[in-house]
Amino acid sequence: MSAAPVEYPAYPNEDQPLTLLEAANRLMEQAPGYRVEIIGGQLTVTPPADMPHSRVLNKITRPFVAAGLDDGETEVHQGIGLWLPDGPDDYAIPDLVVVDAGGDEHLVKNSCYDPVVFRLVLEVTSSNYNTDLRSKVGAYASAMVPVYVIVNRQHQRIHVLTDPADGDYASHRVYAPGELVTLPDTLGAKVTLDVDEILTAGRPQAGRTAPADV
């Protein structure tokens, strides 16, 4: 999901300014349902997901679960915080993640977890997709997350980024409708994504007429 920069909430008083993390937590209290993150020292806020965004997440979660990645050595989650190494308060909340089982022991703070337990992060773009396509690429690569998947609804593509090094991903493959994506074996199971099926789920659906009584 994408995010847009915002200003900090007002300080409680001039003598006790909020830290960036405190400002983020205050924003979450003031705007329930919004996603607040700190990427590259920048506070960002994402509005609640619309139905097409939710449909994509539902559709794309199923292959991971069917492959057995939500049982045994790994788990599949939505909306789990990832503590980033880029700054003292940086963290992200990916739309979907695959993590090592037992990740509870790697809680850092602020309900965010050490990136060492993350095998994959996935984002579904919304209005400001540049955050997912640019800022988060460097953030997740710096955190050494092995696989970053972006469902790019604006350009109707799926991006698969692998091999993080020096704050970037060495491999960046782009898939179009009609193609199948086979994700790296490092996940622990074979996962194949149908690009057309996933992107179709992310488009607004026309209204349906209720069946006539018979």
Side-chain angles (χ1 to χ4, degrees):
M1 187 183 298
S2 60
V6 296
E7 296 181 355
Y8 299 0
Y11 292 154
N13 58 64
E14 293 182 357
D15 296 328
Q16 296 179 342
L18 296 176
T19 67
L20 194 57
L21 190 58
E22 289 169 342
N25 288 333
R26 175 162 294 194
L27 275 172
M28 286 192 290
E29 293 174 358
Q30 294 174 346
Y34 283 69
R35 181 172 301 184
V36 182
E37 301 168 293
I38 303 174
I39 309 294
Q42 177 69 61
L43 194 62
T44 62
V45 172
T46 305
D50 58 14
M51 284 190 178
H53 186 284
S54 181
R55 288 191 192 102
V56 171
L57 275 180
N58 290 337
K59 184 74 67 175
I60 208 166
T61 299
R62 293 167 191 163
F64 292 96
V65 174
L69 290 172
D70 196 39
D71 190 20
E73 296 183 356
T74 55
E75 298 176 352
V76 179
H77 294 283
Q78 294 184 15
I80 295 297
L82 187 161
W83 196 256
L84 296 168
D86 293 342
D89 292 325
D90 282 20
Y91 70 93
I93 306 175
D95 287 319
L96 183 142
V97 300
V98 177
V99 297
D100 294 338
D104 310 60
E105 300 175 359
H106 293 269
L107 180 65
V108 178
K109 62 179 176 179
N110 210 48
S111 299
C112 295
Y113 295 84
D114 192 314
V116 70
V117 303
F118 290 76
R119 299 192 184 192
L120 172 143
V121 294
L122 182 146
E123 301 282 7
V124 180
T125 64
S126 294
S127 55
N128 188 353
Y129 53 88
N130 283 328
T131 300
D132 296 329
L133 292 171
R134 296 178 183 175
S135 303
K136 286 191 174 181
V137 171
Y140 292 144
S142 295
M144 297 302 290
V145 178
V147 183
Y148 177 26
V149 177
I150 308 169
V151 180
N152 185 345
R153 294 194 291 162
Q154 281 66 27
H155 299 103
Q156 292 293 287
R157 297 290 187 269
I158 290 182
H159 305 249
V160 179
L161 294 80
T162 58
D163 305 319
D166 301 322
D168 200 358
Y169 284 94
S171 176
H172 183 169
R173 296 193 60 184
V174 182
Y175 297 85
E179 294 185 284
L180 296 176
V181 180
T182 300
L183 296 177
D185 293 338
T186 53
L187 292 180
K190 182 178 180 180
V191 176
T192 300
L193 306 177
D194 185 319
V195 177
D196 190 58
E197 181 181 45
I198 292 167
L199 293 174
T200 298
R203 302 182 193 120
Q205 294 185 358
R208 297 177 179 177
T209 302
D213 293 334
V214 294

